[in-house]
């Protein structure tokens, strides 16, 4: 097992503070709230949508724009039930459910209870009790996590279908289509972002574990002999992705799975873990799936899924290296990592020190006062920036200090203030969210200035 780095727990932020900020500023709301909410489902508001879109765009950028050996796919959520038979999900996608037989009757995941005991230095194989009321627990039962529904107007045997519990299978069943049309040969990848559904026994911790979530998965098909090399490469690439987007290094670790943790399809897996306020937890898994999935689909469908290498005359089933991440969980990690409170000129400010590319709004355009043509000038700047594709927000309400703080809370990296001198000198004040530096810069060239800043290497100004 990997050594956990020595680090002070991120005590400055609790999950409750993140939830409160997310709600207060309209990032994420509990779903169906006017009806009392529906357990562990969430709706994303304006800033939440922008943030999560930025996370997904950065993922696409790293998979598609910055490389030419990966192609995109968007497969259906509903797939032939045989897909889940072949993939092993119908039989094997289960969690061990135990229920309290004492007072509280709560349900738990047995493996989670045993992990918690091991972390506290206890015997994970010993007797376990309900953590809530100390009651006796039922024997474990394998609970299948797939949501079932029915295709067509009549609910009857034989028309059951499942909401996909992962996006990966949609990729495997399209392997042949992509081979025929994308003109790629191993090593190459197929990437997909989309919703997945799991009837989790214990969802919770805000958007960390929900029953409906978005995954960002890429299946990388390689000649079998190269699997080990690509497995290591992808662990490094994916770790760097989080670091380059500002996650602090001491809050990130790669943890190889123990043999008894491995999924049914995997010969080796490493998790990239983040030190959430709930402790070290999985952000993303990188698995060597071997030829498990292609073999299964070949056998169950009767379609040949081999790759024929014309140069060597060899025919083989490629092996697969899979980096599988969660868009919601990544967004949560970025929020947690960015959250800071500090005192500025005697007043406390809450600030999200997000990587500028992840920030929902890039620049706030602010007239210092609502007079002397300042609002009109600010509106004109706002229009130019938006036309250049830069997400801005025009805000003229309240004192300038209050407006800066509002923008700090949603992580806007730059404030552009139009003042009395602007109409004479064509300059505005550019305020930096993190350093709080204020510089006067010409209006002319502002879009280029911000676009340049957005591609500069960036490191979190937070320490720890
Ligand atoms: P866990 O052990 O946390 O249940 P897992 O190992 O089953 O996760 P994978 O099947 O590897 O997860 O899924 C890949 C990624 O999808 C995870 O690393 C996570 O970011 C995301 N993910 C999985 N389940 C959920 C969920 N219920 N809610 C939000 N994100 C999820």
């Amino acid at each position: 097992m990997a050594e956990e780095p020595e680090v002070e727990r991120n005590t400055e932020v609790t999950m409750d503070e993140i939830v409160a900020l997310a709600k207060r500023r309209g990032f994420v709301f509990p779903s169906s709230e006017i009806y009392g909410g529906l357990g562990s489902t969430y709706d994303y508001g304006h800033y939440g949508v922008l943030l999560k879109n930025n996370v997904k765009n950065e993922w696409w950028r790293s998979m598609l724009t910055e490389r030419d050996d990966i192609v995109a796919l968007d497969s259906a959520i509903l797939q032939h039930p045989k897909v889940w038979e072949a993939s092993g999900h119908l039989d094997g996608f289960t969690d061990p459910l135990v229920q309290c037989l004492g007072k509280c009757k709560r349900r738990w995941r047995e493996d989670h209870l045993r992990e918690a005991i091991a972390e506290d230095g206890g015997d994970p194989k010993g007797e376990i009790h309900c953590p809530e009321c100390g009651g006796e627990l039922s024997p474990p039962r394998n609970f299948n996590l797939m949501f079932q529904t029915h295709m067509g107007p009549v609910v009857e045997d034989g028309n059951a279908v499942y909401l996909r519990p992962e996006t990966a299978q949609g990729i495997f069943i399209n392997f042949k289509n992509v081979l025929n049309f994308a003109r790629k040969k191993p090593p190459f990848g197929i990437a997909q972002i989309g919703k997945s559904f799991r009837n989790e026994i214990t969802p919770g911790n805000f958007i960390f574990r929900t029953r409906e979530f978005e995954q960002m998965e890429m299946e990388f098909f390689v000649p079998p002999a190269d699997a080990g090399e690509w497995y290591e490469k992808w662990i490094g690439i994916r770790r760097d992705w989080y670091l380059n987007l500002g996650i602090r290094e001491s809050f990130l670790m790669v943890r190889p799975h123990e043999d008894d943790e491995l999924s049914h399809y995997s010969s080796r897996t490493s998790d990239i873990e983040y030190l959430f306020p709930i402790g070290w937890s999985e952000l993303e898994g990188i698995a060597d799936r071997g030829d498990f999935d292609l073999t299964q689909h070949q056998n169950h469908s009767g379609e040949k899924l081999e790759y024929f290498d014309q140069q060597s005359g060899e025919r083989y089933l490629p092996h697969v290296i899979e980096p599988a991440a969660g868009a919601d969980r990544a967004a949560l990690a970025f929020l947690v990592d960015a959250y800071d409170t500090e005192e500025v000129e005697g007043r406390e400010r809450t600030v999200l020190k997000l990587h500028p590319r992840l920030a929902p709004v890039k620049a706030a355009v602010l007239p210092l006062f609502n007079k002397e043509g300042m609002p009109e000038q600010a509106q004109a700047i706002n229009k130019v920036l938006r036309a250049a594709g830069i997400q801005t927000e025009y805000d003229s309400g309240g004192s300038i200090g209050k407006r800066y703080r509002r923008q700090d809370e949603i992580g806007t990296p730059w404030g552009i203030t139009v003042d009395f001198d602007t109409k004479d000198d064509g300059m505005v004040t550019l305020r930096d969210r993190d350093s709080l530096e204020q510089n006067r810069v010409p209006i002319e060239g502002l879009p280029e200035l911000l676009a340049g800043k957005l591609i500069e290497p960036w490191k979190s100004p937070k320490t720890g």
Side-chain angles (χ1 to χ4, degrees):
M1 190 141 165
E3 283 261 313
E4 298 202 349
E6 276 294 318
V7 71
E8 280 287 309
R9 214 23 198 284
N10 192 1
T11 46
E12 80 245 48
V13 55
T14 61
M15 205 63 111
D16 285 346
E17 283 170 310
I18 295 290
V19 175
L21 174 82
K23 187 159 185 206
R24 184 166 77 243
R25 299 314 316 270
F27 279 83
V28 180
F29 311 106
S31 184
S32 312
E33 216 179 357
I34 59 168
Y35 290 103
L38 175 69
S40 291
T41 53
Y42 292 93
D43 297 338
Y44 282 73
H46 181 63
Y47 297 131
V49 171
L50 292 173
L51 170 66
K52 190 151 70 123
N53 275 350
N54 291 340
V55 170
K56 291 187 283 183
N57 287 340
E58 287 305 315
W59 190 86
W60 279 129
R61 179 209 295 274
S62 72
M63 293 291 167
L64 298 183
T65 319
E66 292 175 354
R67 345 179 24 116
D68 61 7
D69 55 357
I70 299 178
V71 294
L73 181 77
D74 187 357
S75 69
I77 286 174
L78 298 175
Q79 294 163 22
H80 198 291
K82 281 200 171 152
V83 170
W84 308 112
E85 207 178 294
S87 69
H89 282 81
L90 263 180
D91 284 339
F93 194 54
T94 57
D95 279 337
L97 166 76
V98 288
Q99 184 165 15
C100 173
L101 303 172
K103 247 191 253 144
C104 77
K105 308 282 183 255
R106 274 186 67 167
R107 295 186 175 91
W108 306 92
R109 258 178 73 173
E110 186 201 18
D111 54 332
H112 281 176
L113 297 185
R114 294 196 182 280
E115 273 166 28
I117 290 172
E119 269 165 31
D120 289 344
D123 173 14
K125 296 208 164 76
E127 203 176 319
I128 50 172
H129 294 278
C130 174
E132 182 76 13
C133 71
E136 198 188 325
L137 292 170
S138 69
R141 163 167 87 80
N142 284 336
F143 174 77
N144 196 299
L145 301 183
M146 282 201 293
F147 277 100
Q148 191 179 340
T149 182
H150 291 267
M151 198 103 161
V154 187
V155 176
E156 58 191 2
D157 280 353
N159 66 358
V161 289
Y162 302 89
L163 303 187
R164 67 177 175 203
E166 61 174 33
T167 61
Q169 297 305 321
I171 296 178
F172 297 124
I173 59 174
N174 277 290
F175 174 67
K176 225 176 144 188
N177 286 334
V178 176
L179 259 193
N180 289 341
F181 294 103
R183 305 181 63 233
K184 295 280 178 215
K185 53 184 231 167
F188 80 99
I190 306 177
Q192 163 154 244
I193 296 183
K195 284 252 166 127
S196 292
F197 302 83
R198 295 182 187 177
N199 200 359
E200 298 275 2
I201 296 169
T202 47
N205 291 312
F206 194 37
I207 52 173
F208 179 84
R209 187 183 302 285
T210 50
R211 294 192 169 107
E212 171 181 346
F213 53 97
E214 259 182 303
Q215 288 190 305
M216 311 186 285
E217 296 194 297
M218 195 276 293
E219 310 302 320
F220 203 70
F221 300 89
V222 300
D226 300 345
E229 187 190 326
W230 278 108
Y231 172 68
E232 296 300 333
K233 265 194 204 163
W234 276 108
I235 292 173
I237 295 170
R238 294 303 304 148
R239 179 175 177 272
D240 287 348
W241 186 79
Y242 292 101
L243 295 178
N244 292 337
L245 286 171
I247 293 279
R248 290 163 295 168
E249 199 165 353
S250 54
F251 281 69
L252 205 65
M253 76 161 164
V254 174
R255 189 183 66 80
H257 276 205
E258 308 280 348
D259 284 351
D260 61 359
E261 274 182 272
L262 291 171
S263 313
H264 61 278
Y265 52 75
S266 168
S267 58
R268 55 192 149 183
T269 296
S270 286
D271 285 345
I272 296 182
E273 296 197 344
Y274 177 72
L275 185 58
F276 285 96
I278 51 168
W280 286 104
S281 310
E282 173 179 339
L283 248 186
E284 163 159 0
I286 294 107
D288 178 350
R289 298 180 75 124
D291 60 3
F292 177 84
D293 304 273
L294 290 181
T295 304
Q296 289 292 103
H297 288 303
Q298 183 165 271
N299 292 343
H300 281 72
S301 68
E303 284 272 344
K304 279 258 168 278
L305 297 177
E306 287 167 328
Y307 170 71
F308 176 61
D309 186 336
Q310 285 182 332
Q311 264 165 359
S312 66
E314 214 190 332
R315 202 178 279 284
Y316 63 87
L317 279 178
H319 282 207
V320 172
I321 306 301
E322 171 198 74
D328 312 85
R329 213 177 266 188
L332 178 62
F334 288 121
L335 273 179
V336 167
D337 208 68
Y339 187 98
D340 215 356
T341 51
E342 56 194 21
E343 222 177 82
V344 179
E345 289 159 1
R347 300 178 76 160
E348 187 167 277
R349 72 162 182 163
T350 301
V351 51
L352 290 183
K353 293 179 173 169
L354 284 168
H355 188 295
R357 282 213 299 273
L358 294 179
V361 175
K362 310 301 176 201
V365 187
L366 316 162
L368 185 60
F369 294 109
N370 280 315
K371 58 182 183 185
E372 301 203 20
M374 285 180 236
E376 292 74 15
Q377 284 168 335
Q379 291 276 23
I381 294 171
N382 193 34
K383 208 167 153 196
V384 170
L385 291 175
R386 285 190 166 238
I390 297 171
Q391 189 75 40
T392 58
E393 196 164 279
Y394 172 81
D395 187 1
S396 62
S399 74
I400 192 75
K402 213 169 172 180
R403 280 179 276 160
Y404 281 150
R405 272 191 295 284
R406 219 158 37 213
Q407 294 297 332
D408 287 342
E409 262 203 341
I410 59 163
T412 307
W414 302 295
I416 295 168
T417 306
V418 171
D419 60 23
F420 291 105
D421 298 328
T422 303
K423 64 176 181 310
D424 300 324
D425 64 7
M427 310 271 269
V428 287
T429 302
L430 186 70
R431 172 192 186 260
D432 184 280
R433 174 196 69 197
D434 303 328
S435 67
L436 294 171
E437 266 175 23
Q438 303 205 10
N439 290 309
R440 279 189 82 70
V441 297
I443 295 172
E444 179 126 17
L446 258 183
E448 293 76 11
L449 179 75
L450 297 188
K453 283 177 176 288
L454 282 168
I455 54 169
E456 277 170 14
W458 189 88
K459 201 170 172 299
S460 172
K462 280 182 73 178
T463 50

